[in-house]
Amino acid sequence: MAFAVLSLLITRDSRKNTEDFARKTFFRKYESVENEFKNIEDYQYLLRALIQKDGLKNYKDYSAVLNDLNKKRNLLAYSWYYSYDEASGKSESNSSLSDIFKKNGNIEQSVPLKNNGSGHFKDLLITRKDSIYWMSYDSLVLPGKNRLYYGSTVNLDDLHQYFINVDKNSNTYAYVFTKEGICITHPEKKYLGKSIFDFTDIKAKDTVCSTTRSGYTQSTAVSEYLGVEVTRFIKPLTTDNFDGYTVVNHVNFIIDENIYKVKTYTVYIFLAALFLIVTVFILFQRAANIAYKEKEKIQSEKNLLLIENEKMHKAEVINQLQQLKNNINPHFLFNSLNSLYMLIGINKENAQKFTMNLSRIYRYLIVPPKENIVPVSQEINFIRQYMDLLKSRFDEELSFELVINDQKSLEKRIPYLSLQIVTENAIKHNIATIDQPLQIIISVEKNGIIVKNTWQPKTETVQGEKFGIDYLTQIYEYFRINSLNISVDGEYFICFLPLME
């Protein structure tokens, strides 16, 4: 997981760095395009200044010098002029491209470019001999109503080649289109003069850059030139004499290639670390197996001792239960026979019922269950019969109430004779008279049975005190249940007997 997160973070940072590089390349490319357009514009302003100063007097010489200078400083524009004398019908020019201004010239071969700038030069795209030229021109009326056309012309193929040579190392290419969408530079010659909305997926909304803080839009597209995915930047290109947009496309497979390398290195590191971890794990596992076998041998011997100890503990608990039964049975039988003797003389029907309950109770006492645990329902039935016998002995001196708050608890289990022990303990250690009747309440809850009786202890010491409670404590410990709880709360002595599944 750590290597996966690390790979994700490195990939994200690598992509971000590459995108930052692409953005810087875009700005560098854009600046080179913008500077060249401004150079062309400055050249046009220089031509205008020369024409307005001397007309055609020295313009031919100036133009030749400027064109030679342009070749040396890699400025692509070169100047031309065309003059027409209406009186004589003669014309003069220094470029065949200026034929467009002759009457009946090849005007159909030119495409005007709209221009709302302050430079007042007009722009045309002219096609001649499989080449496209960008012509900017202005006119001047000379004395004698002669008209002079002058300006500069740029071969669009040369212009694009110039932009390529400016930044050869970047993985980008740029092109420029006018505000109406006419492409004036592009590495694919066939797209020159065409509408970029026809051969690219650029939409008009992609040119809305004024609302963005950075002044440009950035998106991912498929290159119409290379046929691969590119990051496309579009930014307005506005000068005094041009209003359009520059598009710079940065090839994305360079970005993806760098990210792929990062992922590959991360995978190598992951595999090496995984191999190291597995090797350490195998060595550790071998050492652990040896230690485990030794520990298992010791644990096996310890378990044998624990089993023997549990057998002895169980035998002790069973012996205590037998001792309890031996103590309960004679005492309980003696009291029950006295009560039966009195009932025979008073109410023969109750005496018969008493004898039947007594027989059922002794059947329950004589045949103990396996492991000394019984269903709660069985113990509840027994305690009802047992309390009926006690009621026959104590009458109004004893009050008994059974409340079942959770029926599902009747399906759980409880130690054998636990209710009888707690009930007998209450009768044995508390005063029970008509004036102070002993109240016993048994409540079956979700997790246990609550047995509480009124707290009115006898003053004299009772023989065999805590024998029954000690038995319950031991049998719960035998089953590893430590939630047996005995307490005195106000007027009541409370014993909580936890249930077992």
Side-chain angles (χ1 to χ4, degrees):
M1 289 178 65
F3 275 110
V5 172
L6 179 63
S7 175
L8 180 65
L9 294 175
I10 294 176
T11 300
R12 186 189 65 180
D13 290 344
S14 177
R15 181 175 288 275
K16 184 176 181 298
N17 292 335
T18 311
E19 288 178 352
D20 290 341
F21 172 76
R23 199 172 292 110
K24 291 177 181 178
T25 304
F26 152 65
F27 283 118
R28 186 168 65 247
K29 202 82 169 180
Y30 175 84
E31 288 174 358
S32 65
V33 173
E34 185 181 41
N35 287 336
E36 182 59 26
F37 271 66
K38 288 182 177 180
N39 287 338
I40 294 174
E41 198 168 83
D42 291 341
Y43 180 71
Q44 293 168 347
Y45 289 154
L46 179 59
L47 293 177
R48 173 181 287 170
L50 293 173
I51 286 290
Q52 291 178 349
K53 178 182 179 182
D54 296 328
L56 274 176
K57 183 177 179 182
N58 298 313
Y59 182 75
K60 296 178 183 178
D61 297 333
Y62 290 153
S63 178
V65 172
L66 287 175
N67 287 338
D68 290 338
L69 183 62
N70 287 342
K71 291 180 181 179
K72 293 181 181 180
R73 62 189 183 117
N74 293 324
L75 186 64
L76 298 176
Y78 62 90
S79 64
W80 57 268
Y81 68 90
Y82 171 79
S83 63
Y84 176 70
D85 188 348
E86 292 186 355
S88 62
K90 294 181 180 181
S91 63
E92 183 180 356
S93 68
N94 67 340
S95 172
S96 61
L97 291 174
S98 61
D99 292 343
I100 192 172
F101 298 102
K102 294 181 180 180
K103 291 183 179 180
N104 300 322
N106 298 322
I107 300 178
E108 69 278 358
Q109 297 181 1
S110 64
V111 178
L113 301 180
K114 294 183 179 179
N115 179 5
N116 297 322
S118 59
H120 303 297
F121 277 85
K122 297 178 182 179
D123 296 291
L124 295 173
L125 289 184
I126 300 175
T127 304
R128 292 288 174 87
K129 296 181 180 179
D130 296 330
S131 295
I132 299 181
Y133 299 88
W134 174 23
M135 175 184 288
S136 293
Y137 70 95
D138 197 3
S139 61
L140 179 69
V141 178
L142 300 175
K145 295 184 178 181
N146 293 334
R147 180 168 291 274
L148 172 66
Y149 294 93
Y150 64 94
S152 64
T153 302
V154 179
N155 186 314
L156 296 186
D157 293 340
D158 295 340
L159 181 61
H160 179 73
Q161 192 61 41
Y162 171 79
F163 291 147
I164 293 177
N165 294 331
V166 168
D167 188 11
K168 291 183 178 180
N169 295 325
S170 64
N171 303 299
T172 60
Y173 70 92
Y175 58 90
V176 179
F177 63 91
T178 66
K179 200 168 186 179
E180 292 73 31
I182 298 175
C183 183
I184 61 174
T185 70
H186 199 282
E188 192 71 55
K189 187 176 180 180
K190 65 181 180 180
Y191 294 139
L192 295 176
K194 301 292 191 303
S195 172
I196 56 98
F197 301 117
D198 294 336
F199 62 85
T200 70
D201 59 353
I202 296 177
K203 307 297 180 185
K205 63 180 181 179
D206 297 330
T207 62
V208 181
C209 307
S210 59
T211 57
T212 61
R213 185 175 62 181
S214 54
Y216 66 90
T217 60
Q218 178 180 345
S219 60
T220 302
V222 176
S223 170
E224 76 290 339
Y225 173 52
L226 301 174
V228 297
E229 187 181 84
V230 296
T231 299
R232 183 171 62 202
F233 300 90
I234 302 178
K235 187 173 183 179
L237 178 61
T238 304
T239 64
D240 290 345
N241 213 48
F242 183 80
D243 193 5
Y245 297 90
T246 299
V247 180
V248 178
N249 289 330
H250 190 279
V251 182
N252 278 355
F253 73 80
I254 304 298
I255 300 176
D256 296 335
E257 183 179 348
N258 293 335
I259 293 173
Y260 176 76
K261 288 181 180 179
V262 172
K263 289 183 176 179
T264 303
Y265 296 150
T266 307
V267 169
Y268 288 157
I269 295 173
F270 168 75
L271 293 176
L274 182 62
F275 174 76
L276 179 62
I277 292 171
V278 170
T279 304
V280 172
F281 177 77
I282 292 173
L283 296 175
F284 174 79
Q285 188 69 16
R286 289 180 178 178
N289 283 338
I290 296 173
Y292 176 76
K293 289 179 180 179
E294 294 178 356
K295 184 177 179 181
E296 190 178 41
K297 183 179 179 181
I298 296 172
Q299 187 65 35
S300 178
E301 296 175 354
K302 184 178 178 181
N303 288 341
L304 290 174
L305 295 175
L306 289 175
I307 291 172
E308 292 297 325
N309 184 53
E310 289 219 0
K311 286 181 179 180
M312 294 174 61
H313 181 67
K314 183 176 181 181
E316 182 183 353
V317 172
I318 292 174
N319 289 335
Q320 285 190 0
L321 175 62
Q322 189 62 39
Q323 184 181 355
L324 178 65
K325 285 167 55 180
N326 294 337
N327 289 341
I328 290 174
N329 290 352
H331 178 69
F332 179 69
L333 180 60
F334 177 75
N335 290 337
S336 298
L337 291 177
N338 282 339
S339 300
L340 178 61
Y341 175 76
M342 290 185 291
L343 282 175
I344 291 173
I346 300 173
N347 191 326
K348 291 183 179 181
E349 185 179 346
N350 285 344
Q352 291 176 352
K353 183 179 178 182
F354 184 92
T355 304
M356 184 61 68
N357 282 340
L358 184 61
S359 67
R360 291 172 180 170
I361 287 173
Y362 265 90
R363 185 179 295 112
Y364 188 74
L365 292 173
I366 292 170
V367 185
K370 187 179 180 181
E371 295 188 348
N372 294 319
I373 57 171
V374 294
V376 174
S377 58
Q378 188 173 327
E379 191 74 6
I380 290 295
N381 290 335
F382 168 75
I383 202 63
R384 280 175 175 158
Q385 295 169 355
Y386 181 70
M387 292 307 296
D388 285 343
L389 292 183
L390 294 179
K391 287 285 290 181
S392 300
R393 286 174 50 197
F394 292 97
D395 196 14
E396 296 181 3
E397 298 172 0
L398 181 64
S399 171
F400 174 70
E401 182 181 356
L402 176 64
V403 180
I404 300 176
N405 292 325
D406 191 277
Q407 290 290 336
K408 292 184 178 180
S409 295
L410 298 178
E411 301 172 2
K412 297 181 180 180
R413 307 177 84 79
I414 198 170
Y416 174 57
L417 293 181
S418 56
L419 294 180
Q420 190 273 336
I421 291 172
V422 177
T423 305
E424 183 66 28
N425 186 69
I427 296 171
K428 184 177 180 181
H429 296 284
N430 290 279
I431 298 171
T433 63
I434 295 176
D435 295 333
Q436 284 183 289
L438 179 63
Q439 183 183 12
I440 299 176
I441 302 172
I442 297 178
S443 176
V444 181
E445 306 295 340
K446 182 178 180 180
N447 298 319
I449 297 178
I450 300 174
V451 182
K452 65 180 182 178
N453 61 269
T454 49
W455 177 240
Q456 41 198 43
K458 295 178 180 180
T459 55
E460 69 275 10
T461 304
V462 180
Q463 187 177 6
E465 187 175 2
K466 291 189 177 180
F467 177 79
I469 299 301
D470 289 342
Y471 161 74
L472 288 176
T473 302
Q474 289 182 19
I475 198 167
Y476 271 116
E477 286 179 354
Y478 174 73
F479 287 105
R480 294 181 174 83
I481 299 176
N482 300 319
S483 53
L484 174 68
N485 186 24
I486 298 172
S487 62
V488 177
D489 184 9
E491 299 178 355
Y492 289 95
F493 179 89
I494 301 173
C495 180
F496 177 78
L497 301 172
L499 301 181
M500 294 177 275
E501 296 295 337

